[in-house]
Amino acid sequence: MTGSLIALAVLALVACGPYILDAYGIGLLIGAVSYTILASAWAMFSGPTRYISLATVAFYGTGAYTVAVLSEALPWPLVLVSAAVIGGVLALLVGLSTLRLAGIYFVIFSFGLAELIRQLITWFEVSVSGTLGRYIFLELEPRHVLWQLLALAAVVVLITGWIHRSRIGLALKVIGDDETVAAHAGINLARTKLILFVLSSVLITLVGAIQSPRWVYVEPGIVFNPQVSFLTVIMALLGGATKRWGPVLGAVPLFLLFEWLSARFPDHFSILLGLLFIGVVFLLPDGVLAAIEKLRKKKEARA
Amino acid sequence: MRNVTRRALSCYVSAMAIGLALPGAALAAETITIGYAVSKSGPNAGGAGISTIPNYELWVHQVNEKGGLLLPDGSRAMIEVVEYDDRSSAEDAVRAIERLATQDKVDFILPPWGTGFNLAIAPLMDRFGYPQLAATAVTDMAPDLAKRWDRSFWFLGGGHDYGDALASLLGELKEKGQINDKVAVVSVADGFGIDLIKAARPALEEAGFDLVVDTTYPAGTSDFATMISGAAGSGADTFIAFSYPPESFGLTKEAQTAGFNPKVFYVGVGGAFPIYPNVTGGIEEGVMSVGGVDAASPKIQEYFAAHQEVTGKLPDSWASAITYTTLEVLEQAIARVGLDHAAVAEEISTGTFDTIIGEVKLEDNQLRDLWLTGQWQEGKFVAVAPADRDGASDPVVPKPAWD
């Protein structure tokens, strides 16, 4: 409870950012908040279930595309609602058909999903609408984007808080520890996973939708950039996907690190990203938070 | 944070390092900062690495060798470069512009590579008041965009320009009886391919052609055997591929393997790349593609030689020369009116410039005098359309057989 309150207070503080920061400062906040939501939403499902999902960009891109298609036809709030509904229905369909797959197959499928949706949209645009690039001309300023993202972040805080306190949170802990035990204890595995997958996907879809007016021009190659999926995974893993505040602690520092790298070493980004991946997986398999806890326990044991 | 990339600057930099230690060093006022964020990694890195980055490097190198950018008062200021990698992400490209404008406060910003990213940064460039000389954006929306953001300039035309030019070129060849009225077209289901096929389909039909093959394939396709054999069996004298680089090369290879020798063989992006002759094994003679240069022009020859010398490779014969042209336009505008953004934008919009592609005068903030179709002739990718423009070469039809 205190955790949620502190988090909400921090979000409120960040919301004052646009009054003191310049455009780049606001841009940084948008990036950091957006990746924080992506990593938290990802961890919401993948943390407890241990299903590594590479489908982040499939939903993120779907959100952006929904805006590109509907932005002129509907008022903005309805566009966002449509994006959430489309993301949710898509996640439900995908979840129903794949969540019974064992872990490794799910990873492969989730990676393919982004490509599948990208090709479907391309096919539709080529053969039905006869255009590919779409324009988003909305009079939304960066600070509006930031405030919407912060509101979404507040929703994430409330949802994770609720999950931790509710029966579903307890069920997830059991599933994470041992699926067989969970099944024997009468937990409906498929339904629990599905609920989380849909929740997490709707949040990710909304991030894409809220951010897309910043890009003006949308085409599948731009919005389905697989790097978004990889960065989200590495951020959540660095912080610790099973801890409630883990993804935040992974997303913010890594986002800032990448930003620094892109300026300091503009020619070596891919190499550094690869090294970082290896480093996180080898040195911090359970994330920073878990590593700190382990250290503390060791100290206590010695004392 | 700042990357001073030019070797020529190193003496100057060390002088400045010494200068910093001395009180009252006022050297900083004599540099002009130019910022850019280009895709150095990710899917766009290929295009940016061919058409955009080498030209930026070449231009900065040449300007600094001359002693810097000329200003209206006759003095010169060295260029200092601030560069970022946008990682082929639109969000990163947008944030990099925010950073260049508000943190680095650079004097001018050069645009990223590609249509999408030029559009993504356009509203910000407009908000911060920077002129944007979009050299690698192909969009039929250019007239509207130039109106929406009045300091944006569009140099590479739209899909219709290229589609229409090809159709009228083929129409003339048909009138002269050099090719029959059948055309086989394949196009990639991606931005550029779609724009071009959409424009070319009606234009070709209007010119009296029968599109006996008209197929679309997804980007990333690597097996072209069916496409080529379909075209070969269609009886068409003309084969057109509105394709992207990997496929342009793949289609060429497949046509060679299958011994498919249409009278006109046209591929999309990649056909004007300097490596295209290597792809064909040195028998590129007669292949047509997008773009082209006036190979007989001494200025173009000089540009090719300088590009080779400074960056270590030849430029492509479509967007490269145009990219370099935008830099010349910017340089001359600054020399005439100084660093004020509004004045520079006004000068670019209304002035006349002497560049490697000849005299440039924009119409409604767009470059309309473009080479739209080119052909490999004796080792050079020369412009063949529009045919009535000075410097156009006559197309060689039929294309000599591969072998």
Side-chain angles (χ1 to χ4, degrees):
Chain A
M1 205 56 208
T2 17
S4 303
L5 284 178
I6 294 174
L8 292 176
V10 170
L11 291 178
L13 205 66
V14 176
C16 304
Y19 297 109
I20 24 175
L21 296 169
D22 60 15
Y24 176 57
I26 300 172
L28 273 186
L29 288 181
I30 290 176
V33 175
S34 131
Y35 270 113
T36 300
I37 302 174
L38 289 181
S40 305
W42 183 88
M44 197 182 281
F45 167 73
S46 295
T49 59
R50 295 174 202 247
Y51 275 46
I52 302 289
S53 162
L54 291 176
T56 308
V57 82
F59 294 102
Y60 183 77
T62 303
Y65 234 93
T66 309
V67 174
V69 175
L70 297 179
S71 68
E72 309 228 315
L74 293 175
W76 181 240
L78 282 183
V79 175
L80 288 184
V81 171
S82 315
V85 171
I86 291 172
V89 171
L90 184 66
L92 199 65
L93 289 175
V94 170
L96 279 174
S97 54
T98 61
L99 284 178
R100 285 161 211 268
L101 292 176
I104 181 73
Y105 301 104
F106 181 80
V107 180
I108 297 166
F109 174 83
S110 68
F111 185 64
L113 181 66
E115 194 58 24
L116 175 73
I117 294 178
R118 176 182 163 167
Q119 295 300 345
L120 277 178
I121 291 181
T122 306
W123 175 85
F124 179 85
E125 296 279 52
V126 172
S127 31
V128 182
S129 57
T131 154
L132 198 63
R134 284 178 179 269
Y135 298 82
I136 304 176
F137 291 130
L138 284 171
E139 297 296 322
L140 284 170
E141 283 177 43
R143 57 198 164 103
H144 301 135
V145 173
L146 176 64
W147 287 333
Q148 291 173 61
L149 284 174
L150 287 169
L152 188 62
V155 174
V156 175
V157 169
L158 295 177
I159 292 179
T160 47
W162 168 74
I163 290 177
H164 273 252
R165 274 177 284 109
S166 68
R167 284 171 64 88
I168 199 169
L170 204 61
L172 279 170
K173 269 189 198 129
V174 185
I175 294 177
D177 287 339
D178 192 324
E179 279 205 8
T180 325
V181 173
H184 281 280
I187 294 170
N188 188 334
L189 287 181
R191 198 185 62 191
T192 314
K193 285 184 199 165
L194 192 62
I195 291 173
L196 278 179
F197 187 65
V198 171
L199 257 181
S200 137
S201 305
V202 167
L203 292 170
I204 292 171
T205 312
L206 281 172
V207 176
I210 292 172
Q211 252 183 309
S212 62
R214 259 164 86 71
W215 312 330
V216 183
Y217 176 82
V218 162
E219 62 179 26
I222 290 178
V223 296
F224 294 102
N225 181 349
Q227 204 168 64
V228 174
S229 298
F230 291 122
L231 288 183
T232 304
V233 173
I234 195 75
M235 283 168 174
L237 289 183
L238 173 71
T242 51
K243 306 280 175 207
R244 187 174 168 199
W245 305 110
V248 186
L249 291 175
V252 176
L254 265 192
F255 171 77
L256 294 175
L257 176 72
F258 289 142
E259 189 65 11
W260 181 75
L261 285 179
S262 96
R264 198 71 196 74
F265 302 100
D267 299 320
H268 308 96
F269 175 72
S270 305
I271 300 171
L272 294 169
L273 180 66
L275 288 176
L276 202 77
F277 251 99
I278 298 170
V280 169
V281 172
F282 271 101
L283 302 175
L284 300 162
D286 298 317
V288 176
L289 276 185
I292 294 174
E293 256 170 43
K294 219 189 259 171
L295 268 182
R296 207 187 288 153
K297 270 186 196 151
K298 244 188 213 164
K299 239 185 218 164
E300 274 166 17
R302 227 180 288 145
Chain B
M1 288 289 143
R2 301 212 159 156
N3 286 327
V4 182
T5 54
R6 299 279 36 98
R7 249 168 294 153
L9 249 179
S10 59
C11 309
Y12 181 77
V13 170
S14 35
M16 211 165 80
I18 299 164
L20 281 177
L22 304 168
L27 284 165
E30 289 168 30
T31 62
I32 287 178
T33 46
I34 302 267
Y36 54 84
V38 195
S39 309
K40 294 191 165 206
S41 55
N44 290 352
I50 287 171
S51 303
T52 302
I53 300 168
N55 281 297
Y56 289 177
E57 290 178 350
L58 170 65
W59 177 69
V60 173
H61 174 87
Q62 289 179 329
V63 168
N64 282 344
E65 250 188 1
K66 283 187 278 189
L69 269 178
L70 188 63
L71 294 170
D73 63 3
S75 69
R76 284 186 180 271
M78 297 294 272
I79 294 178
E80 191 184 323
V81 170
V82 184
E83 58 172 342
Y84 299 119
D85 174 12
D86 67 29
R87 292 170 273 183
S88 301
S89 139
E91 177 65 31
D92 284 19
V94 166
R95 196 169 55 247
I97 297 302
E98 291 168 339
R99 185 172 194 174
L100 288 167
T102 65
Q103 292 290 299
D104 305 311
K105 298 193 169 58
V106 295
D107 293 305
F108 288 96
I109 297 177
L110 304 180
W113 178 87
T115 310
F117 284 25
N118 267 290
L119 282 159
I121 70 159
L124 280 175
M125 294 289 274
D126 186 64
R127 187 174 314 151
F128 294 123
Y130 285 97
Q132 178 182 2
L133 293 85
T136 50
V138 177
T139 164
D140 288 321
M141 292 270 285
D144 302 330
L145 299 174
K147 256 180 237 144
R148 178 179 282 269
W149 302 300
D150 60 7
R151 290 181 191 178
S152 70
F153 305 93
W154 306 85
F155 281 78
L156 209 55
H160 270 96
D161 298 324
Y162 296 97
D164 293 348
L166 179 60
S168 77
L169 173 76
L170 293 174
E172 276 166 39
L173 292 172
K174 181 168 67 78
E175 293 292 298
K176 287 187 206 151
Q178 287 176 286
I179 53 173
N180 65 14
D181 64 351
K182 292 194 177 104
V183 180
V185 195
V186 301
S187 56
V188 61
D190 212 334
F192 181 75
I194 295 169
D195 275 1
L196 263 81
I197 187 67
K198 243 173 56 189
R201 212 173 267 145
L204 284 169
E205 275 162 10
E206 198 173 306
F209 284 100
D210 183 11
L211 279 71
V212 285
V213 174
D214 182 0
T215 39
T216 297
Y217 66 88
T221 298
S222 57
D223 180 16
F224 303 102
T226 20
M227 263 181 252
I228 291 293
S229 67
S234 69
D237 278 349
T238 304
F239 175 75
I240 301 171
F242 294 126
S243 48
Y244 270 139
E247 299 105 46
S248 302
F249 303 153
L251 281 159
T252 305
K253 285 258 170 227
E254 182 60 37
Q256 288 184 320
T257 313
F260 171 48
N261 280 303
K263 290 182 179 160
V264 172
F265 187 85
Y266 179 102
V267 291
V269 186
F273 285 2
I275 49 160
Y276 188 78
N278 302 351
V279 171
T280 60
I283 40 172
E284 75 285 356
E285 182 71 14
V287 173
M288 293 194 187
S289 181
V290 193
V293 292
D294 176 5
S297 141
K299 279 185 181 164
I300 284 287
Q301 289 166 359
E302 208 177 290
Y303 162 69
F304 270 60
H307 194 287
Q308 166 88 304
E309 190 197 316
V310 174
T311 68
K313 53 191 174 188
L314 285 167
D316 77 85
S317 297
W318 179 28
S320 274
I322 301 294
T323 304
Y324 190 82
T325 300
T326 62
L327 300 169
E328 289 185 295
V329 167
L330 179 66
E331 182 182 345
Q332 290 168 28
I334 292 173
R336 288 176 205 163
V337 300
L339 300 177
D340 180 63
H341 290 159
V344 169
E346 178 65 23
E347 180 60 27
I348 295 171
S349 178
T350 57
T352 305
F353 302 89
D354 180 31
T355 72
I356 55 164
I357 58 164
E359 193 175 89
V360 163
K361 170 118 179 63
L362 300 187
E363 296 165 41
D364 299 326
N365 288 9
Q366 299 155 63
L367 178 64
R368 300 300 305 153
D369 271 337
L370 281 164
W371 290 117
L372 302 167
T373 309
Q375 184 179 37
W376 284 99
Q377 293 180 5
E378 288 164 19
K380 287 186 174 134
F381 189 73
V382 302
V384 294
D388 52 3
R389 192 178 156 197
D390 273 353
S393 302
D394 288 327
V396 175
V397 176
K399 181 188 98 61
W402 313 108
D403 52 32

